[in-house]
Amino acid sequence: MAEDLANWLGEYYKSGIEYEYNTRGNPELDANDIVYQENEFHKDMKVNVYRHTINFNQSFSGKVTARRIGG
């Protein structure tokens, strides 16, 4: 089990590519969701959301921090 965890962590941190962007604050999005992110260099790029912040000031706004899956 420890070897599987070490392999998973290695793959997770291998890419080292993080994205942070502002959103409209969709409350349906959660941390650990896997979503497609628009990118002109990588078609259908999947990212794993690991931080999602929602603010409300008469309307929703938010910030997402995600890491690319698959290097």
Side-chain angles (χ1 to χ4, degrees):
M1 188 191 250
E3 187 174 325
D4 290 339
L5 178 61
N7 290 335
W8 181 85
L9 286 170
E11 288 181 23
Y12 182 78
Y13 287 108
K14 180 173 54 176
S15 70
I17 300 172
E18 293 182 352
Y19 299 93
E20 185 174 293
Y21 48 90
N22 296 325
T23 66
R24 289 186 263 172
N26 185 353
E28 294 174 349
L29 187 63
D30 291 321
N32 264 349
D33 282 352
I34 296 174
V35 297
Y36 287 100
Q37 179 176 311
E38 289 184 21
N39 187 307
E40 64 183 270
F41 303 108
H42 300 280
K43 183 177 170 82
D44 297 329
M45 183 176 72
K46 288 183 183 179
V47 295
N48 184 359
V49 175
Y50 72 88
R51 187 177 303 128
H52 182 227
T53 306
I54 297 177
N55 301 314
F56 182 75
N57 186 10
Q58 303 301 323
S59 65
F60 283 115
S61 65
K63 182 185 268 187
V64 169
T65 307
R67 181 178 292 274
R68 188 167 82 189
I69 296 175

